[in-house]
Amino acid sequence: MKQPQKIVVVGLGYIGLPTASMLATKGYQVLGVDVNPVTVETINQGQIHIVEPDLDILVRSAVNSGKLKASLTPEPADAFILAVPTPFTQNDDASNPPDISHVEAATEAICPVLNAGNLVILESTSPVGTTERIKEIIAEKRSDLFAASPLTPHTSPVYVAHCPERVLPGHVLRELVDNDRIVGGVDRISAEKVRGLYKTFCSGEIVLTDSRTAEMTKLVENSFRDVNIAFANELSLVCDKLDINVWELIDLANRHPRVDILNPGPGVGGHCIAVDPWFVVASAPELTPLIRTAREVNDCKPEWVVRKVAVMAERFKNPVIGCMGLAFKADIDDLRESPALAITRKLIDSNIGEVMACEPNVNGEFSEFPLYELAEVLTRADILVVLVDHAEFKEIDYELLEEKVLIDTRGIWR
Ligand code: SAJ
């Protein structure tokens, strides 16, 4: 089986860029393609446009070695990896159908440069059937390839498979290598071809299946986490009502050998866990009340936090509210779909008091409202609302908190 030499990665975001630079350092000639000219230019200068530990070093070395280049348009290659966004469309009846238009556009963009024997790999988390849709688009746009196939009629002239990304933001480079991978082909040979490529940089096990099962596996992983977090968030509301410390409760319950409850928080953020369960719901709305309710429980938590702050603020004539953290989770700068940001915005709009927001991982580029140094927030705020469990906040001297009203949504001061 001939190994690919040149690889095109379409979409240079949180998944595409680490994957492209990892492949480049393994000796492949990699062309990264993105629709954003600034992204392309930044990468060609050996720099990065996202925050991920050590990614800057990897990209710089890949670009300097001449193995990684970025471009606005694809070129012919042996393998094509699609790592573009797959959001959902928010609609009135809350069925929130998936939007695979970026996958379709990326597929159409590579069609003119495809050759027989190429691999097309979808990494984006996608609703069931998307990988088959990619093959359909290729068959439509490149009927010439299919007509001229020297292979058997049962085999595609272009190998198409889904290999869902599974890396945790903040640990991407380690997990890209260590995690097991699932490869679901539109046929067996496609899956085998992709395994051959991925085993050159992945030390985890690479398990083969069909494309629909691979798509569903990824959706189920994130839905499992969402349902678990919803359980913890629901417990946090009940415990608040019953005056029980939810963190102590969970610690105690988790001492049971078969109980493992996750952590409550201000809500679920990011572009994965808060999105992917909707793909499952949209595929079978009548069969998924649990997954839908979990989404709703997690989505309601920010509003609950805002109400809690409003009640506490009634104790003060001119309350000063310190919002600690804006990112969607600890020790990153990513504000996408962040419940912390949503809560801070709501508190500012509600005019309950003066809001002092503090986000140690974000600097100059944030202009929506002023950000304050942690020391100033700790000095001036009457109410401290912990929205993200950043390392800086965990190190705060308890003596500084004595006079404050504390609303700790992350349990750092349990
Ligand atoms: N959260 C809680 N309580 C918890 C754990 C998380 O409130 O106990 C919140 C976080 O604060 C954050 C949100 O959930 O707002 C999501 O954070 P996360 O760390 O659970 O997940 P992501 O979105 O950073 O990455 C997830 C991972 N999926 C799983 O762990 C099953 C990652 O492996 C996936 O690759 C990624 O989604 C993705 O791209 O799909």
Side-chain angles (χ1 to χ4, degrees):
M1 204 182 277
K2 180 179 163 274
Q3 277 299 321
Q5 303 297 320
K6 178 163 179 181
I7 300 173
V8 164
V9 178
V10 185
L12 295 172
Y14 283 81
I15 303 303
L17 183 56
T19 307
S21 38
M22 180 69 75
L23 288 164
T25 58
K26 294 286 171 193
Y28 295 101
Q29 193 63 49
V30 182
L31 180 75
V33 175
D34 203 281
V35 289
N36 186 336
V38 179
T39 300
V40 167
E41 205 183 306
T42 307
I43 293 164
N44 280 334
Q45 287 166 0
Q47 291 164 5
I48 59 174
H49 58 296
I50 51 179
V51 171
E52 178 60 41
D54 301 331
L55 182 62
D56 52 342
I57 302 167
L58 195 71
V59 170
R60 198 179 320 125
S61 114
V63 171
N64 287 346
S65 70
K67 291 285 184 187
L68 174 65
K69 289 193 174 64
S71 165
L72 290 166
T73 46
E75 290 172 6
D78 302 301
F80 295 81
I81 296 177
L82 310 183
V84 292
T86 44
F88 65 83
T89 321
Q90 217 149 6
N91 62 6
D92 291 343
D93 66 2
S95 58
N96 299 348
D99 169 6
I100 61 161
S101 58
H102 299 288
V103 174
E104 291 173 327
T107 308
E108 285 178 19
I110 62 168
C111 274
V113 295
L114 284 179
N115 286 305
N118 281 170
L119 267 66
V120 177
I121 305 149
L122 173 67
E123 282 236 9
S124 318
T125 305
S126 299
V128 172
T130 309
T131 314
E132 291 166 337
R133 173 78 193 121
I134 289 175
K135 189 178 165 191
E136 257 171 42
I137 295 174
I138 298 170
E140 255 167 56
K141 302 269 168 200
R142 294 299 308 273
S143 50
D144 58 317
L145 283 180
F146 281 70
S149 171
L151 304 172
T152 68
H154 302 297
T155 313
S156 167
V158 174
Y159 305 103
V160 184
H162 181 42
C163 183
E165 62 85 8
R166 298 171 119 183
V167 288
L168 193 68
H171 302 269
V172 167
L173 296 187
R174 180 173 51 77
E175 293 208 352
L176 204 53
V177 175
D178 290 351
N179 288 1
D180 289 353
R181 300 297 295 252
I182 310 296
V183 178
V186 292
D187 46 34
R188 183 77 187 179
I189 186 162
S190 296
E192 279 166 5
K193 291 262 184 191
V194 173
R195 174 160 62 186
L197 170 60
Y198 275 56
K199 77 176 178 208
T200 61
F201 69 91
C202 170
S203 62
E205 202 179 327
I206 302 177
V207 186
L208 306 191
T209 182
D210 60 86
S211 62
R212 296 173 73 84
T213 308
E215 287 158 347
M216 191 64 169
T217 304
K218 172 60 201 261
L219 300 180
V220 163
E221 290 164 10
N222 280 355
S223 303
F224 169 83
R225 196 156 169 83
D226 197 46
V227 170
N228 244 284
I229 299 168
F231 181 67
N233 276 331
E234 190 162 286
L235 288 181
S236 74
L237 308 191
V238 177
C239 286
D240 186 70
K241 184 173 176 194
L242 301 183
D243 199 20
I244 290 170
N245 181 320
V246 68
W247 310 101
E248 185 189 357
L249 173 86
I250 291 174
D251 279 349
L252 295 175
N254 282 352
R255 284 170 179 266
H256 186 287
R258 284 173 297 283
V259 174
D260 190 8
I261 305 169
L262 289 178
N263 296 312
V268 167
H271 30 284
C272 311
I273 307 255
V275 173
D276 304 346
W278 286 120
F279 294 4
V280 183
V281 173
S283 67
E286 67 292 357
L287 301 175
T288 46
L290 177 67
I291 298 173
R292 174 193 282 266
T293 306
R295 271 287 67 246
E296 287 164 356
V297 167
N298 287 333
D299 277 351
C300 285
K301 193 71 192 285
E303 193 56 53
W304 183 87
V305 176
V306 171
R307 284 201 304 275
K308 187 93 192 148
V309 177
V311 170
M312 294 300 186
E314 284 168 9
R315 299 181 191 179
F316 301 90
K317 198 163 167 234
N318 297 305
V320 178
I321 303 157
C323 287
M324 299 173 55
L326 294 177
F328 88 82
K329 65 178 190 177
D331 305 325
I332 59 168
D333 71 334
D334 194 339
L335 304 183
R336 287 179 297 171
E337 314 295 330
S338 169
L341 180 60
I343 289 166
T344 306
R345 279 186 182 135
K346 277 203 171 140
L347 288 171
I348 292 170
D349 292 347
S350 65
N351 286 321
I352 298 167
E354 181 188 351
V355 175
M356 297 179 77
C358 166
E359 175 44 80
N361 297 314
V362 169
N363 37 44
E365 71 272 23
F366 187 82
S367 58
E368 186 181 330
F369 46 78
L371 296 182
Y372 295 85
E373 293 296 325
L374 179 58
E376 201 183 343
V377 175
L378 292 177
T379 310
R380 287 198 43 222
D382 304 305
I383 303 171
L384 288 174
V385 193
V386 178
L387 296 171
V388 190
D389 44 342
H390 287 318
E392 292 85 344
F393 302 157
K394 291 182 184 164
E395 287 159 10
I396 294 170
D397 183 351
Y398 285 93
E399 282 181 15
L400 297 173
L401 308 175
E402 268 167 16
E403 306 292 310
K404 313 281 182 194
V405 171
L406 305 178
I407 300 176
D408 177 7
T409 70
R410 294 283 186 177
I412 64 170
W413 295 323
R414 47 182 89 174

Coordinates of all heavy atoms in Angstrom, one line a residue, residues 329-391:
K329 N -13.2 27.4 30.2 CA -12.7 26.5 31.3 C -11.4 27.0 31.8 O -10.8 28.0 31.3 CB -12.7 25.1 30.8 CG -11.8 24.8 29.7 CD -11.9 23.3 29.4 CE -10.8 22.8 28.5 NZ -10.8 21.4 28.3
A330 N -10.8 26.2 32.7 CA -9.6 26.7 33.4 C -8.4 26.8 32.5 O -8.2 26.0 31.7 CB -9.3 25.8 34.6
D331 N -7.6 27.8 32.8 CA -6.2 28.0 32.3 C -6.1 28.0 30.8 O -5.1 27.5 30.2 CB -5.3 26.9 32.9 CG -5.4 26.9 34.4 OD1 -5.5 28.0 34.9 OD2 -5.3 25.8 35.0
I332 N -7.2 28.5 30.1 CA -7.1 28.7 28.7 C -7.6 30.1 28.4 O -8.2 30.8 29.3 CB -7.9 27.7 27.8 CG1 -9.4 27.7 28.2 CG2 -7.3 26.3 27.9 CD1 -10.3 26.9 27.3
D333 N -7.5 30.6 27.2 CA -8.0 32.0 26.9 C -9.2 32.0 26.0 O -9.6 33.0 25.5 CB -6.9 32.8 26.2 CG -6.6 32.3 24.7 OD1 -6.9 31.1 24.5 OD2 -6.2 33.0 23.9
D334 N -9.8 30.8 25.8 CA -10.8 30.6 24.8 C -12.2 31.1 25.4 O -12.7 30.5 26.3 CB -10.9 29.1 24.4 CG -11.7 28.8 23.2 OD1 -12.5 29.7 22.8 OD2 -11.5 27.8 22.6
L335 N -12.8 32.1 24.7 CA -14.0 32.7 25.2 C -15.2 32.1 24.5 O -16.4 32.5 24.8 CB -14.0 34.2 25.1 CG -12.8 34.9 25.8 CD1 -13.0 36.4 25.6 CD2 -12.7 34.6 27.2
R336 N -15.0 31.2 23.5 CA -16.1 30.8 22.7 C -17.2 30.0 23.5 O -16.8 29.1 24.3 CB -15.6 29.9 21.5 CG -14.9 30.8 20.5 CD -14.4 29.9 19.4 NE -13.4 29.0 19.9 CZ -12.9 28.0 19.1 NH1 -13.3 27.8 17.9 NH2 -12.0 27.2 19.6
E337 N -18.4 30.4 23.4 CA -19.6 29.8 24.1 C -19.3 29.7 25.6 O -19.6 28.7 26.2 CB -19.8 28.3 23.6 CG -19.9 28.2 22.1 CD -21.0 28.9 21.4 OE1 -22.0 29.1 22.1 OE2 -20.8 29.4 20.3
S338 N -18.7 30.7 26.1 CA -18.3 30.6 27.5 C -19.4 31.1 28.4 O -19.9 32.2 28.3 CB -17.1 31.5 27.8 OG -16.9 31.6 29.2
P339 N -19.8 30.2 29.4 CA -20.9 30.6 30.3 C -20.4 31.8 31.2 O -21.2 32.6 31.6 CB -21.2 29.4 31.1 CG -20.1 28.4 30.9 CD -19.4 28.8 29.6
A340 N -19.1 31.8 31.5 CA -18.5 32.9 32.3 C -18.7 34.2 31.7 O -19.1 35.2 32.3 CB -17.1 32.6 32.6
L341 N -18.5 34.3 30.4 CA -18.6 35.5 29.6 C -20.1 35.9 29.6 O -20.5 37.1 29.8 CB -18.1 35.3 28.2 CG -18.1 36.5 27.3 CD1 -17.4 37.7 27.9 CD2 -17.5 36.2 25.9
A342 N -21.0 34.9 29.3 CA -22.4 35.2 29.3 C -22.9 35.8 30.6 O -23.7 36.7 30.6 CB -23.2 33.9 28.9
I343 N -22.5 35.2 31.7 CA -22.9 35.6 33.0 C -22.4 37.1 33.2 O -23.2 37.9 33.7 CB -22.3 34.7 34.1 CG1 -23.1 33.4 34.0 CG2 -22.5 35.3 35.5 CD1 -22.5 32.2 34.8
T344 N -21.2 37.3 32.9 CA -20.6 38.7 33.1 C -21.4 39.7 32.3 O -21.7 40.8 32.8 CB -19.1 38.7 32.8 OG1 -18.5 37.6 33.5 CG2 -18.4 40.0 33.1
R345 N -21.6 39.4 31.0 CA -22.4 40.3 30.2 C -23.8 40.6 30.8 O -24.2 41.7 30.9 CB -22.7 39.6 28.8 CG -21.5 39.7 27.9 CD -21.9 39.2 26.5 NE -20.8 39.3 25.6 CZ -20.4 38.3 24.8 NH1 -21.1 37.2 24.7 NH2 -19.4 38.4 24.0
K346 N -24.4 39.5 31.3 CA -25.8 39.7 31.9 C -25.7 40.6 33.1 O -26.6 41.4 33.3 CB -26.4 38.3 32.2 CG -27.0 37.7 31.1 CD -28.1 36.7 31.4 CE -28.8 36.2 30.2 NZ -29.1 34.9 30.1
L347 N -24.7 40.4 33.9 CA -24.6 41.2 35.1 C -24.3 42.6 34.8 O -24.9 43.5 35.4 CB -23.4 40.6 36.0 CG -23.7 39.3 36.7 CD1 -22.4 38.7 37.4 CD2 -24.8 39.5 37.7
I348 N -23.5 42.9 33.7 CA -23.3 44.3 33.3 C -24.6 44.9 32.8 O -25.0 46.0 33.2 CB -22.2 44.3 32.2 CG1 -20.9 43.9 32.8 CG2 -22.1 45.7 31.6 CD1 -19.7 43.7 31.8
D349 N -25.3 44.1 32.0 CA -26.6 44.6 31.4 C -27.7 44.8 32.5 O -28.5 45.7 32.3 CB -27.2 43.7 30.3 CG -26.3 43.6 29.1 OD1 -25.4 44.5 29.0 OD2 -26.4 42.7 28.3
S350 N -27.6 44.0 33.5 CA -28.7 44.1 34.5 C -28.6 45.3 35.5 O -29.5 45.5 36.3 CB -28.9 42.8 35.3 OG -27.7 42.6 36.0
N351 N -27.4 46.0 35.5 CA -27.2 47.1 36.3 C -27.5 46.8 37.8 O -27.9 47.7 38.6 CB -28.1 48.3 35.9 CG -27.7 48.9 34.7 OD1 -26.5 49.1 34.5 ND2 -28.6 49.3 33.8
I352 N -27.1 45.6 38.2 CA -27.3 45.3 39.7 C -26.2 46.1 40.5 O -26.5 46.4 41.6 CB -27.0 43.8 39.9 CG1 -28.1 43.0 39.1 CG2 -27.0 43.4 41.3 CD1 -27.7 41.5 39.0
G353 N -25.1 46.3 39.9 CA -24.0 47.0 40.6 C -22.9 47.2 39.6 O -23.0 46.9 38.4
E354 N -21.8 47.7 40.1 CA -20.6 47.9 39.3 C -19.9 46.5 39.1 O -19.7 45.7 40.1 CB -19.6 48.8 40.0 CG -18.3 49.0 39.1 CD -17.2 49.8 39.9 OE1 -17.5 50.3 41.0 OE2 -16.1 49.9 39.3
V355 N -19.6 46.1 37.9 CA -19.0 44.8 37.6 C -17.5 45.0 37.2 O -17.2 45.8 36.4 CB -19.8 44.1 36.4 CG1 -19.1 42.8 36.0 CG2 -21.2 43.8 36.8
M356 N -16.7 44.3 38.0 CA -15.3 44.3 37.7 C -14.9 42.9 37.2 O -14.9 42.0 38.0 CB -14.5 44.6 38.9 CG -14.7 46.0 39.5 SD -13.8 46.3 41.0 CE -12.2 46.6 40.3
A357 N -14.6 42.8 35.9 CA -14.3 41.4 35.4 C -12.7 41.3 35.3 O -12.0 42.2 35.1 CB -14.8 41.3 34.0
C358 N -12.3 40.0 35.6 CA -10.9 39.8 35.6 C -10.6 38.5 34.9 O -11.3 37.4 35.2 CB -10.5 39.6 37.1 SG -8.9 38.9 37.3
E359 N -9.8 38.5 33.9 CA -9.4 37.3 33.1 C -7.9 37.3 32.8 O -7.5 37.9 31.9 CB -10.3 37.2 31.8 CG -9.9 36.1 30.9 CD -9.7 34.7 31.6 OE1 -10.7 34.1 31.9 OE2 -8.6 34.3 31.8
P360 N -7.2 36.6 33.7 CA -5.7 36.7 33.6 C -5.2 36.2 32.2 O -4.0 36.5 31.9 CB -5.2 35.8 34.7 CG -6.4 35.4 35.5 CD -7.6 35.8 34.8
N361 N -5.9 35.3 31.5 CA -5.4 34.8 30.3 C -5.7 35.6 29.0 O -5.4 35.2 27.9 CB -5.9 33.3 30.1 CG -5.5 32.4 31.2 OD1 -4.3 32.5 31.6 ND2 -6.4 31.7 31.8
V362 N -6.4 36.7 29.2 CA -6.8 37.5 28.0 C -6.2 38.9 28.3 O -6.3 39.5 29.4 CB -8.3 37.6 27.9 CG1 -8.7 38.7 26.9 CG2 -8.9 36.3 27.5
N363 N -5.5 39.4 27.3 CA -5.0 40.8 27.5 C -5.5 41.7 26.4 O -6.7 41.6 26.0 CB -3.5 40.8 27.6 CG -2.9 39.8 26.7 OD1 -3.3 39.7 25.5 ND2 -1.9 39.1 27.1
G364 N -4.7 42.6 26.0 CA -5.0 43.7 25.0 C -6.2 43.5 24.1 O -7.0 44.4 23.9
E365 N -6.3 42.3 23.5 CA -7.3 42.1 22.4 C -8.7 42.2 22.7 O -9.6 42.2 21.9 CB -6.9 40.8 21.6 CG -7.3 39.5 22.3 CD -6.1 39.0 23.1 OE1 -5.3 39.8 23.6 OE2 -6.1 37.8 23.4
F366 N -9.0 42.2 24.1 CA -10.5 42.2 24.5 C -10.9 43.6 24.7 O -10.4 44.3 25.6 CB -10.6 41.3 25.7 CG -12.0 41.1 26.1 CD1 -12.8 40.1 25.6 CD2 -12.6 41.9 27.1 CE1 -14.1 39.9 25.9 CE2 -14.0 41.7 27.5 CZ -14.7 40.7 26.9
S367 N -12.0 44.0 24.0 CA -12.4 45.4 24.2 C -13.9 45.6 24.5 O -14.4 46.7 24.6 CB -12.1 46.1 22.9 OG -12.8 45.5 21.8
E368 N -14.6 44.5 24.7 CA -16.1 44.6 24.9 C -16.4 45.4 26.2 O -17.3 46.2 26.3 CB -16.7 43.2 25.0 CG -18.2 43.2 25.0 CD -18.8 41.8 25.1 OE1 -18.2 40.9 24.5 OE2 -19.9 41.7 25.7
F369 N -15.6 45.1 27.3 CA -15.8 45.8 28.6 C -14.4 45.8 29.3 O -13.6 45.0 28.9 CB -16.9 45.3 29.4 CG -16.9 43.8 29.6 CD1 -16.0 43.1 30.4 CD2 -17.8 43.0 28.9 CE1 -16.0 41.8 30.6 CE2 -17.8 41.6 29.0 CZ -16.9 41.0 29.8
P370 N -14.2 46.7 30.2 CA -12.9 46.8 30.8 C -12.6 45.5 31.7 O -13.4 44.9 32.3 CB -13.0 48.0 31.7 CG -14.4 48.5 31.8 CD -15.1 47.7 30.8
L371 N -11.3 45.1 31.6 CA -10.8 44.0 32.5 C -9.9 44.6 33.6 O -9.2 45.6 33.3 CB -10.0 43.0 31.6 CG -10.8 42.3 30.6 CD1 -9.9 41.3 29.8 CD2 -12.0 41.6 31.1
Y372 N -10.0 44.0 34.7 CA -9.2 44.5 35.9 C -8.2 43.5 36.3 O -8.4 42.3 36.2 CB -10.2 44.9 37.0 CG -11.1 46.0 36.7 CD1 -12.3 45.7 36.0 CD2 -10.8 47.3 37.1 CE1 -13.2 46.8 35.7 CE2 -11.7 48.3 36.8 CZ -12.9 48.1 36.1 OH -13.7 49.1 35.8
E373 N -7.1 44.0 37.0 CA -6.1 43.1 37.6 C -6.8 42.4 38.8 O -7.7 43.0 39.5 CB -5.0 43.9 38.1 CG -4.1 44.6 37.0 CD -3.4 43.6 36.1 OE1 -3.0 42.5 36.6 OE2 -3.3 43.8 34.9
L374 N -6.4 41.2 39.0 CA -6.9 40.4 40.1 C -6.8 41.2 41.5 O -7.8 41.2 42.2 CB -6.2 39.1 40.2 CG -6.7 38.1 41.3 CD1 -8.2 37.8 41.2 CD2 -5.9 36.8 41.3
A375 N -5.7 41.8 41.7 CA -5.5 42.5 43.0 C -6.5 43.6 43.2 O -7.0 43.8 44.3 CB -4.0 43.0 43.1
E376 N -6.8 44.3 42.1 CA -7.8 45.4 42.3 C -9.2 44.9 42.5 O -9.9 45.4 43.3 CB -7.7 46.2 41.0 CG -8.3 47.6 41.1 CD -8.3 48.4 39.8 OE1 -7.7 48.0 38.8 OE2 -9.1 49.4 39.8
V377 N -9.5 43.8 41.9 CA -10.8 43.2 42.1 C -10.9 42.7 43.6 O -11.9 42.9 44.2 CB -11.0 42.0 41.1 CG1 -12.4 41.3 41.4 CG2 -11.0 42.5 39.7
L378 N -9.9 42.1 44.0 CA -9.9 41.5 45.4 C -10.0 42.7 46.4 O -10.6 42.5 47.5 CB -8.6 40.7 45.7 CG -8.5 39.4 44.9 CD1 -7.2 38.7 45.2 CD2 -9.7 38.5 45.3
T379 N -9.5 43.8 46.1 CA -9.5 45.0 47.0 C -10.9 45.6 47.0 O -11.5 45.9 48.0 CB -8.5 46.1 46.6 OG1 -7.3 45.4 46.4 CG2 -8.4 47.1 47.6
R380 N -11.5 45.8 45.8 CA -12.7 46.6 45.7 C -14.0 45.9 45.7 O -15.0 46.4 46.1 CB -12.6 47.5 44.4 CG -11.6 48.6 44.5 CD -11.8 49.7 43.5 NE -13.2 50.0 43.3 CZ -13.8 50.2 42.1 NH1 -13.2 50.1 41.0 NH2 -15.1 50.5 42.1
A381 N -14.0 44.6 45.3 CA -15.3 43.9 45.1 C -15.9 43.6 46.5 O -15.3 43.2 47.4 CB -15.1 42.7 44.3
D382 N -17.3 43.7 46.6 CA -18.0 43.3 47.7 C -18.4 41.8 47.6 O -18.4 41.0 48.5 CB -19.3 44.1 47.9 CG -19.1 45.5 48.0 OD1 -18.3 46.0 48.8 OD2 -19.6 46.3 47.1
I383 N -18.7 41.5 46.3 CA -19.1 40.1 46.0 C -18.1 39.5 45.0 O -17.8 40.1 44.0 CB -20.5 40.1 45.3 CG1 -21.5 40.8 46.3 CG2 -21.0 38.7 45.0 CD1 -22.9 41.0 45.6
L384 N -17.6 38.4 45.3 CA -16.6 37.7 44.4 C -17.3 36.5 43.7 O -17.8 35.6 44.5 CB -15.4 37.3 45.1 CG -14.4 38.4 45.5 CD1 -13.3 37.8 46.3 CD2 -13.9 39.1 44.3
V385 N -17.4 36.5 42.4 CA -18.1 35.4 41.8 C -17.0 34.6 41.0 O -16.5 35.1 40.0 CB -19.2 35.9 40.8 CG1 -20.1 34.7 40.3 CG2 -20.0 37.0 41.4
V386 N -16.7 33.4 41.4 CA -15.7 32.6 40.7 C -16.4 31.9 39.6 O -17.3 31.1 39.8 CB -15.1 31.5 41.6 CG1 -14.1 30.6 40.8 CG2 -14.4 32.1 42.8
L387 N -16.0 32.2 38.4 CA -16.7 31.7 37.2 C -15.8 30.7 36.5 O -16.2 29.8 35.7 CB -17.1 32.8 36.2 CG -18.1 33.8 36.8 CD1 -18.3 35.0 35.8 CD2 -19.4 33.1 37.0
V388 N -14.4 30.8 36.7 CA -13.5 29.8 36.1 C -12.5 29.5 37.1 O -12.0 30.3 37.9 CB -12.8 30.5 34.9 CG1 -12.0 29.4 34.1 CG2 -13.8 31.1 33.9
D389 N -12.1 28.2 37.2 CA -11.1 27.8 38.2 C -9.7 27.9 37.7 O -8.9 26.9 37.7 CB -11.4 26.3 38.6 CG -11.8 25.4 37.5 OD1 -12.1 25.9 36.4 OD2 -11.7 24.2 37.7
H390 N -9.3 29.1 37.3 CA -7.9 29.4 36.8 C -7.0 29.2 38.0 O -7.3 29.5 39.2 CB -7.8 30.8 36.4 CG -8.5 31.1 35.0 ND1 -8.4 30.2 34.0 CD2 -9.2 32.2 34.6 CE1 -9.1 30.8 32.9 NE2 -9.6 31.9 33.3
A391 N -5.7 28.8 37.7 CA -4.7 28.5 38.7 C -4.5 29.7 39.6 O -4.4 29.6 40.8 CB -3.4 28.1 38.0

